[in-house]
Amino acid sequence: MDIDDLLQSFKYFGVELGLERIKQLLSRLGNPQQNFPIIHVAGTNGKGSVCAYLSSILTQAGYRVGRYTSPHLVDWTERICLNQEPISSHTLGTILEQVKAAIPKNCSDPPTLFEVTTAAAWLYFAQQQVDVAVIEVGLGGRLDATNVCDRVLVSIITSLSWEHWQRLGPTLADIAKEKAGILKPGCPAVIGPLPPEARAVVESRVNQLGCPVVWVDSAVDLPEGKTPSTGKHLRWVEYGGVSYNLPLLGEVQLVNSAIAIATVQVLQQQGWEIPEDAIALGMAKTTWLGRLQWTSWENHHLLIDGAHNQASAQALRQYVDTLGKSVNWVMGILSTKDHAGIFNALLRPGDRLSLVPVPDHSSAELDYLATLAQQICPTLADCAMYPELVTGLRGTFNKAEAEEKITVLCGSLYLVGHFLRTEAFVGGNGNS
């Protein structure tokens, strides 16, 4: 059963925020979302990592855990997981058929693609009788198709920065208002560090709704001598009195992991049994594909990362700076993104830039990107354009001194997903 074929009829409706269609669809399916408690995760960046940490910890604690995230990188099945394992293609096809059967023929306002896959996740988790589901917001929060539950165990806002302004509003305050739309009266909230303008909006909403709130700071590295002797070179950090191995790369994970730990502590206060060894093992076993992930391609070392907005690009640049080398950037960016913000965050004198299109999506014009990049960083060692990704990678690695620089593929999760799906992908270390 081909999932793309099943979903083809919904692909053309794009993103259309609103809750009426998804509520009607879920009602016709028997409101499966009411059958289990959820942890709801919104934010500009860090949502996926936090969902990965939480589902891993809760699985190690012995619970039956659903996880719904988007977008997928390689396969639709990545979006819907049970105890860390993606749904099988056959089962996903069966669930999608059930969802499609609940949509009236000649429906005047049919559900969008995201609403269909979201309904499929709710239905699957209900059928699997999960103990809890970790649900990632698709876009925004207030009008996102995941925002259909009156009560949640915990509402999480990981971060806020300027993205999707076309739909969420032109200012950070507008975007914060939409993200804060997932908060529920009296339900606990865990909030990551926010810019002052965004924090003021979220804080106002928290107070209005009477949400018990944890404002999360960053975890801190354990000093030498206080780290466990494991025989492996692992990064050990501490937050909220809990020490744990940090498996995902980048300083941003100090905050993302702290948000997960703070959420676990809220759950413990609610009576969930999550022992310390489950936290430690769950954190250590966390993986998250395509984010600060080292891999190899045609016998070359390659770092891949989505870095599709200014904040995630800054996090990538922060990690790359720790490596002490100039960079070969292989980049493709969607037309709707903050191109100047991404380039300002990433490009430095002496770097090389190879621009490629993002296949099957609204990709920014390469000529425009090249002109903008050279305006922002006139001292680039090189700026080249290639018709597709494999040609761009080969062109980058064939240049003199290429191996003296770090080569990074980034700019779009869809581009990273395309890379991972191609036969050119050799294999990664799986630590991100």
Side-chain angles (χ1 to χ4, degrees):
M1 191 177 299
D2 190 276
I3 304 304
D4 280 313
D5 289 343
L6 273 173
L7 293 171
Q8 190 64 35
S9 60
F10 299 100
K11 287 191 176 180
Y12 302 106
F13 296 105
V15 175
E16 192 174 337
L17 296 176
L19 299 179
E20 208 47 48
R21 290 178 305 275
I22 184 69
K23 284 183 176 179
Q24 290 176 6
L25 178 55
L26 289 170
S27 177
R28 289 191 290 268
L29 290 166
N31 285 314
Q33 78 281 6
Q34 296 176 359
N35 290 12
F36 47 86
I38 78 163
I39 299 166
H40 204 189
V41 186
T44 302
N45 294 304
K47 300 188 298 292
S49 298
V50 170
C51 287
Y53 287 130
L54 287 172
S55 58
S56 183
I57 290 169
L58 288 166
T59 297
Q60 292 301 319
Y63 292 105
R64 195 164 174 80
V65 185
R67 185 183 77 196
Y68 179 57
T69 56
S70 61
H72 63 275
L73 291 183
V74 178
D75 190 271
W76 284 101
T77 58
E78 295 168 36
R79 297 185 179 217
I80 303 174
C81 293
L82 178 66
N83 284 358
Q84 304 291 84
E85 293 298 320
I87 188 173
S88 71
S89 294
H90 175 76
T91 303
L92 178 56
T94 301
I95 296 285
L96 287 170
E97 292 281 17
Q98 293 173 26
V99 173
K100 290 185 74 171
I103 302 169
K105 288 183 170 60
N106 303 317
C107 181
S108 60
D109 188 19
T112 65
L113 174 66
F114 183 70
E115 288 163 353
V116 168
T117 57
T118 301
W122 293 122
L123 185 58
Y124 177 66
F125 295 153
Q127 291 177 356
Q128 293 295 317
Q129 299 181 318
V130 299
D131 297 311
V132 59
V134 182
I135 305 292
E136 179 188 4
V137 167
L139 194 155
R142 182 175 65 92
L143 297 175
D144 185 75
T146 63
N147 196 28
V148 290
C149 295
D150 295 331
R151 291 195 62 78
V152 297
L153 295 174
V154 189
S155 302
I156 300 170
I157 301 176
T158 59
S159 64
L160 282 171
S161 59
W162 196 58
E163 193 192 26
H164 296 302
W165 62 92
Q166 304 95 331
R167 296 185 180 276
L168 303 182
T171 70
L172 206 52
D174 292 322
I175 294 169
K177 183 179 178 181
E178 293 300 314
K179 305 276 187 188
I182 71 163
L183 300 174
K184 302 294 184 290
C187 294
V190 173
I191 316 291
L194 305 180
E197 182 184 357
R199 175 163 173 149
V201 173
V202 174
E203 197 161 14
S204 173
R205 187 62 176 161
V206 162
N207 293 335
Q208 181 184 353
L209 295 173
C211 300
V213 63
V214 179
W215 297 95
V216 176
D217 294 319
S218 177
V220 295
D221 284 288
L222 283 178
E224 286 186 30
K226 292 193 176 181
T227 58
S229 299
T230 60
K232 296 180 181 178
H233 181 65
L234 300 172
R235 186 178 189 181
W236 285 87
V237 301
E238 184 270 337
Y239 178 82
V242 179
S243 300
Y244 54 94
N245 166 226
L246 192 60
L248 305 187
L249 299 176
E251 294 303 292
V252 70
Q253 295 302 336
L254 290 172
V255 170
N256 293 341
S257 65
I259 290 170
I261 296 296
T263 302
V264 166
Q265 292 176 335
V266 171
L267 294 176
Q268 288 173 325
Q269 292 164 13
Q270 294 176 355
W272 291 75
E273 295 184 8
I274 310 170
E276 262 190 47
D277 60 345
I279 297 174
L281 194 55
M283 293 299 291
K285 286 190 168 185
T286 301
T287 60
W288 195 231
L289 188 65
R291 281 75 165 184
L292 284 178
Q293 177 185 348
W294 282 103
T295 185
S296 59
W297 183 85
E298 295 191 350
N299 297 318
H300 301 289
H301 292 297
L302 179 67
L303 179 66
I304 59 175
D305 187 74
H308 59 290
N309 56 41
Q310 185 175 22
S312 57
Q314 288 169 341
L316 170 59
R317 184 73 230 191
Q318 189 176 34
Y319 172 69
V320 166
D321 283 343
T322 67
L323 305 177
K325 294 184 178 180
S326 294
V327 183
N328 299 311
W329 299 104
V330 182
M331 296 180 63
I333 312 176
L334 296 183
S335 60
T336 54
K337 296 298 182 177
D338 177 12
H339 311 115
I342 293 170
F343 283 151
N344 271 308
L346 292 179
L347 302 180
R348 299 291 183 271
D351 288 354
R352 295 178 182 270
L353 176 62
S354 299
L355 294 165
V356 300
V358 182
D360 305 319
H361 289 85
S362 177
S363 186
E365 293 292 333
L366 301 190
D367 286 340
Y368 153 74
L369 290 178
T371 300
L372 179 64
Q374 290 172 101
Q375 288 172 350
I376 287 172
C377 189
T379 50
L380 285 171
D382 186 39
C383 182
M385 294 175 285
Y386 296 92
E388 51 85 36
L389 177 58
V390 170
T391 307
L393 286 169
R394 287 188 179 136
T396 299
F397 282 117
N398 285 341
K399 286 178 179 172
E401 303 175 354
E403 296 297 342
E404 295 178 14
K405 299 179 187 287
I406 302 153
T407 300
V408 183
L409 171 64
C410 67
S412 168
L413 284 169
Y414 295 113
L415 182 64
V416 169
H418 171 72
F419 169 77
L420 293 172
R421 284 191 301 272
T422 63
E423 293 180 5
F425 177 58
V426 177
N429 65 6
N431 71 348
S432 288

